[in-house]
Amino acid sequence: MGALDSAFIQEAEHRPDLKMVEGEGIPSIDLSDSPTRTREELASEIGNACKTWGFFQVINHGVPLGLRKRVEELAKEFFDQPLEEKTKVKRDEVHPMGFHDSEHTKNVRDWKEVFDFFLQDPTLIPALSHPEDKSLRELTNQWPQNPPQFRETCEEYAREVEKLAFKLLELISLSLGLPADRFNGYFQEQTSFLRFNHYPPCPQPELALGVGRHKDGGALTVLSQDSVGGLQIQRRSDGEWVSVRPVPDAYVINLGNAMQVWTNDLYWSAEHRVVVNTQKERFSIPFFFFPGHHVSVKPLDEITNEENPPKYKEFNWGVFFATRNRSDYKKQDVENIQIDHFKVSE
Ligand code: OGA
Ligand code: NI
């Protein structure tokens, strides 16, 4: 077993505990129409999960299983290719989507490789070439020649997962006592993207992480994970790290920063990370449901009042997204932009 490059080594306090406790009680929610349950009751179940955990799993979610299986197989076929094939669609400063094998989370390298594509092609984000720059950049996807049918299948899958994301967004809105479509407008010109994660076996899993601790940025994430396991979340109630048990065919849903800000901390965006192991490779496919670049994210007027004043300052989603994205490339001396930077001081 080879030694680990120092770029992957986590500070002692962030190293994983490989004997993890399972997150007993992470809710599993059945989305099927039921004659004995109203839409409001379902919404309230989801609302409770968003408050207590910021994480839950859904079953009977409507995404066709056959399509999901095909995408999982294609992702594996893609990563199984030699590096020189994969780097033909390598991500760079001009193309932030595509293949990448040296992503850093909080300045430590992740033990993984990824392939990303935007839901909307092209996607618009702020150019940010200098501080006053208000112009936009058009970003496009890169698609590999192989495996065959990769692009078509990925695009079809993304549209199905997007439907599920809107369904959940509407239920979350109802759970807050708001009209079902309260958030929908924010997703015109959305910056959402899909990611394939591949976590190879790691010689020293006690020192590294597949993905370092982080919160997802957007409204919510819809994640397909295989049966290997490794996803851990920080429990809101006591800050303990607990693992999310793989449930066959379910999706793991977690809230991102934007939802936490919109709800003024009523709903929770949990820190999470991925633990790797010496034996088995692992695959996961998150869909990051992100607002449009023009959206100004701030606690909703309907939620805040004198007793519950806004806990966050308003920020522009596009600038937040573009800044974060840029910081993925290299180890930086400054801490990557985090949502806490917008907290109103108390
Ligand atoms: C991510 C992430 C979790 C997983 O890619 O942001 O948290 O289980 N992935 O792969
Ligand atoms: Ni994540």
Side-chain angles (χ1 to χ4, degrees):
M1 287 205 292
L4 213 57
D5 186 295
S6 64
F8 292 104
I9 298 180
Q10 298 281 334
E11 299 277 353
E13 60 183 305
H14 298 307
R15 289 181 197 160
D17 176 357
L18 298 179
K19 299 185 295 297
M20 275 309 299
V21 275
E22 226 165 64
E24 294 295 338
I26 297 176
S28 189
I29 299 176
D30 185 341
L31 294 183
S32 54
D33 289 325
S34 151
T36 57
R37 184 188 57 185
T38 64
R39 195 173 181 214
E40 282 65 30
E41 284 166 343
L42 171 59
S44 129
E45 238 182 275
I46 289 180
N48 286 335
C50 293
K51 240 182 250 167
T52 318
W53 290 91
F55 256 89
F56 52 100
Q57 309 214 42
V58 293
I59 54 169
N60 296 317
H61 41 68
V63 178
L65 195 57
L67 179 60
R68 175 168 166 182
K69 290 266 178 288
R70 264 190 294 148
V71 166
E72 287 170 358
E73 279 157 22
L74 286 171
K76 180 166 168 39
E77 272 177 57
F78 172 76
F79 288 120
D80 275 349
Q81 299 177 105
L83 192 60
E84 65 193 73
E85 269 309 302
K86 294 186 275 195
T87 50
K88 287 183 183 161
V89 288
K90 194 173 160 37
R91 185 167 113 180
D92 56 32
E93 302 277 345
V94 185
H95 300 100
M97 295 287 118
F99 173 75
H100 193 54
D101 64 358
S102 58
E103 197 169 68
H104 291 75
T105 304
K106 306 237 164 55
N107 296 335
V108 182
R109 189 165 166 192
D110 292 332
W111 190 267
K112 68 170 185 198
E113 47 181 357
V114 305
F115 177 84
D116 294 335
F117 64 97
F118 281 121
L119 191 78
Q120 295 200 334
D121 195 8
T123 287
L124 291 173
I125 68 158
L128 297 187
S129 51
H130 54 87
E132 255 82 89
D133 186 8
K134 295 267 182 290
S135 66
L136 296 173
R137 269 173 82 192
E138 245 188 28
L139 303 176
T140 51
N141 288 333
Q142 306 191 80
W143 294 104
Q145 291 287 323
N146 285 306
Q149 298 295 310
F150 188 76
R151 175 178 183 165
E152 295 77 355
T153 315
C154 288
E155 288 179 340
E156 188 186 344
Y157 177 73
R159 282 191 296 272
E160 290 297 331
V161 181
E162 182 196 14
K163 279 188 216 160
L164 171 58
F166 271 110
K167 190 191 281 186
L168 291 164
L169 188 72
E170 292 181 2
L171 286 162
I172 289 172
S173 192
L174 287 174
S175 76
L176 293 162
L178 301 170
D181 64 358
R182 172 63 179 85
F183 294 102
N184 292 24
Y186 295 155
F187 294 85
Q188 278 167 19
E189 294 192 274
Q190 58 184 291
T191 54
S192 304
F193 69 98
L194 233 120
R195 164 166 290 177
F196 296 150
N197 282 312
H198 175 221
Y199 306 99
C202 175
Q204 289 181 289
E206 67 285 2
L207 298 180
L209 286 166
V211 188
R213 73 195 193 287
H214 68 282
K215 295 182 175 204
D216 293 346
L220 53 92
T221 303
V222 178
L223 174 113
S224 152
Q225 65 166 333
D226 67 13
S227 59
V228 173
L231 173 59
Q232 301 185 337
I233 68 174
Q234 207 175 23
R235 189 155 58 193
R236 186 176 196 180
S237 58
D238 59 4
E240 278 299 310
W241 285 99
V242 297
S243 48
V244 181
R245 183 173 57 92
V247 172
D249 307 334
Y251 280 96
V252 178
I253 311 300
N254 65 288
L255 302 188
N257 289 148
M259 188 55 80
Q260 183 169 338
V261 172
W262 285 328
T263 63
N264 208 32
D265 283 354
L266 179 62
Y267 288 176
W268 188 239
S269 166
E271 285 228 301
H272 53 284
R273 65 187 184 188
V274 171
V275 173
V276 285
N277 69 80
T278 53
Q279 302 295 324
K280 286 190 183 156
E281 61 178 349
R282 174 175 181 265
F283 295 89
S284 73
I285 311 178
F287 169 71
F288 299 107
F289 195 31
F290 283 4
H293 69 84
H294 52 81
V295 172
S296 169
V297 181
K298 63 177 182 116
L300 297 183
D301 291 340
E302 299 96 313
I303 288 181
T304 51
N305 52 42
E306 252 170 57
E307 284 90 72
N308 181 21
K311 295 190 164 88
Y312 297 90
K313 289 176 274 196
E314 187 165 348
F315 66 93
N316 171 268
W317 172 260
V319 172
F320 181 70
F321 175 83
T323 310
R324 269 203 158 188
N325 237 39
R326 229 173 16 181
S327 69
D328 285 349
Y329 290 95
K330 39 197 164 299
K331 214 165 148 62
Q332 292 198 328
D333 294 334
V334 292
E335 203 190 344
N336 293 352
I337 186 167
Q338 301 296 329
I339 203 73
D340 286 347
H341 299 168
F342 299 99
K343 259 220 132 121
V344 174
S345 46
E346 308 201 341

